[in-house]
């Protein structure tokens, strides 16, 4: 039986989105979202230090997100899968980075994120080889879980074309704001729920709304661009929600041995808060 190939991105089903391996392992939705955002922030920061192009950083974050819809955050470390995603995405986007550079940057960021002394990593020491081996293992785990399907279509070029169609390329704020929203959206689930053209429409709609610029309604611009207004508003809402809470970077676990203490502490804090509420009303 022949199998059809598609250049479109692989998207999640509703069941996959609601019943992730991490939730089945006892991690709450809030904890999972925070750890996903931590991984994406880690990838973006590492990519900047490695001077990788944005397409490579975006691809790495999408691979990271896809991986953890197939694997649990209790079994695979955010640090390791972030490293593996960067290493793999750099190859996919034809801008490979040196393994030594990646290991040094990751070690630096781990110390910075967790407020440890920024001592340089000893080259070819035990810590160096531990991280190096973790990159290789993580890359193979990603390929295995994703079935070697690492194709990622990105919405950046599509968004630029849509801005031209809507005659917004010369606007002083909308193009840059829409680009920034695309980057921020990588920390949400929109890239595994919607195809790139719809995501491009979502960020344009949000950027135009923030700038107070009305978009054509006769005919409706989203119909012309073959998108759905409900999907566009959902994408905008997901991205906008990022700005209403701070990410507790220093508290979140980067390695497997930090996961259980983090989950236990959050559970204890939750019990204390509930006990405090009860005592106030008793």
């Amino acid at each position: 039986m022949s199998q059809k190939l598609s250049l479109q991105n692989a998207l999640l089903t509703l069941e996959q989105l609601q019943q992730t391996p991490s939730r089945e392992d006892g991690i709450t939705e809030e904890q999972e979202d925070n750890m996903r955002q931590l991984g994406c922030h880690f990838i973006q920061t590492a990519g900047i230090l490695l001077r990788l192009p944005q397409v490579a950083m975006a691809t790495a974050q999408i691979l990271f997100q896809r991986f953890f819809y197939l694997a649990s955050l209790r079994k695979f470390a955010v640090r390791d899968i972030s490293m593996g995603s960067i290493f793999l995405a750099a190859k996919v986007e034809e801008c490979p980075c040196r393994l030594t550079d990646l290991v040094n940057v990751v070690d630096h960021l781990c110390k910075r994120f967790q407020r440890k002394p920024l001592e340089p990593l000893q080259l070819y020491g035990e810590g160096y080889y531990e991280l190096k081996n973790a990159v290789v293992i993580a890359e193979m785990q990603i390929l295995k879980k994703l079935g070697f399907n690492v194709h990622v279509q990105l919405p950046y070029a599509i968004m630029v074309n849509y801005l031209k169609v809507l005659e917004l390329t010369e606007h002083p704020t909308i193009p840059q704001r829409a680009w920034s929203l695309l980057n921020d959206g990588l920390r949400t689930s929109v890239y595994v729920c919607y195809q790139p053209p719809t995501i491009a429409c979502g960020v344009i709609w949000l950027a135009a709304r923030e700038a107070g610029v009305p978009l054509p309604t006769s005919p409706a611009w989203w119909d012309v661009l073959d998108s759905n207004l409900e999907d566009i508003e959902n994408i905008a809402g997901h991205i906008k929600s990022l700005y209403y809470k701070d990410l507790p970077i220093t508290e979140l676990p980067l390695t497997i041995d930090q996961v259980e203490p983090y989950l236990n502490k959050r559970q204890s804090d939750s019990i204390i808060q509930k006990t405090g509420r009860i005592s106030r009303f008793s």
Side-chain angles (χ1 to χ4, degrees):
M1 185 177 177
S2 61
Q3 190 174 17
K4 292 183 179 179
L5 296 176
S6 174
L7 292 179
Q8 289 190 319
N9 287 342
L11 299 182
L12 295 176
T13 64
L14 182 61
E15 184 180 2
Q16 287 176 310
L17 193 63
Q18 293 176 338
Q19 297 178 349
T20 66
S22 298
R23 302 249 185 101
E24 292 175 353
D25 261 355
I27 297 176
T28 67
E29 183 178 358
E30 181 187 5
Q31 290 168 342
E32 182 178 1
D33 286 344
N34 283 343
M35 291 166 74
R36 285 178 181 275
Q37 288 185 43
L38 174 70
C40 291
H41 179 56
F42 192 93
I43 289 169
Q44 185 73 23
T45 308
I48 292 170
L49 293 177
L50 290 164
R51 298 183 180 179
L52 293 175
Q54 179 58 35
V55 291
M57 291 183 273
T59 297
Q61 289 174 70
I62 294 171
L63 294 178
F64 176 90
Q65 292 276 18
R66 287 179 185 175
F67 178 85
F68 280 114
Y69 280 105
L70 298 168
S72 172
L73 284 154
R74 226 174 185 137
K75 296 175 181 174
F76 295 92
V78 168
R79 181 200 66 181
D80 297 352
I81 301 305
S82 297
M83 286 193 296
S85 298
I86 295 169
F87 198 54
L88 183 55
K91 295 177 184 177
V92 170
E93 298 299 337
E94 299 182 355
C95 53
C97 63
R98 292 177 59 215
L99 189 53
T100 301
D101 293 339
L102 176 59
V103 166
N104 278 314
V105 164
V106 166
D107 176 73
H108 171 79
L109 288 180
C110 286
K111 292 170 181 172
R112 196 172 94 185
F113 277 27
Q114 298 181 339
R115 294 181 179 175
K116 295 180 180 178
L118 298 178
E119 299 174 356
L121 179 67
Q122 183 180 354
L123 193 60
Y124 305 122
E126 183 179 347
Y128 171 85
Y129 281 112
E130 179 190 346
L131 287 173
K132 184 178 178 181
N133 291 335
V135 174
V136 177
I137 293 170
E139 182 185 28
M140 291 307 300
Q141 287 290 348
I142 294 167
L143 289 170
K144 178 183 175 183
K145 289 289 184 182
L146 299 184
F148 285 81
N149 180 9
V150 293
H151 168 73
V152 175
Q153 185 186 12
L154 297 171
Y156 294 98
I158 297 170
M159 185 202 69
V160 172
N161 288 332
Y162 284 0
L163 287 172
K164 290 178 181 177
V165 170
L166 295 168
E167 299 180 350
L168 293 171
T169 52
E170 300 302 320
H171 191 275
T173 62
I174 289 178
Q176 183 59 51
R177 179 56 177 159
W179 188 278
S180 298
L181 290 169
L182 282 182
N183 292 339
D184 291 342
L186 293 163
R187 292 186 282 150
T188 72
S189 61
V190 299
Y191 281 81
V192 292
C193 294
Y194 300 97
Q195 294 294 349
T198 310
I199 297 172
C201 288
V203 298
I204 290 172
W205 181 85
L206 182 54
R209 187 180 179 89
E210 290 178 351
V213 175
L215 296 175
T217 55
S218 182
W221 68 276
W222 57 86
D223 287 335
V224 174
L225 299 178
D226 196 24
S227 291
N228 180 282
L229 182 58
E230 184 180 355
D231 290 341
I232 289 171
E233 291 176 342
N234 283 339
I235 289 168
H238 271 84
I239 297 174
K240 195 73 175 174
S241 68
L242 291 170
Y243 310 132
Y244 294 112
K245 64 175 184 178
D246 294 325
L247 187 66
I249 292 175
T250 57
E251 299 175 13
L252 295 172
L254 282 169
T255 59
I256 283 294
D257 60 322
Q258 295 170 349
V259 172
E260 291 304 323
Y262 165 72
L263 297 177
N264 292 337
K265 182 178 183 301
R266 290 303 298 267
Q267 188 175 14
S268 300
D269 291 345
S270 178
I271 293 171
I272 291 170
Q273 288 176 358
K274 289 179 181 177
T275 305
R277 292 194 197 101
I278 293 170
S279 61
R280 283 201 302 272
F281 290 101
S282 59

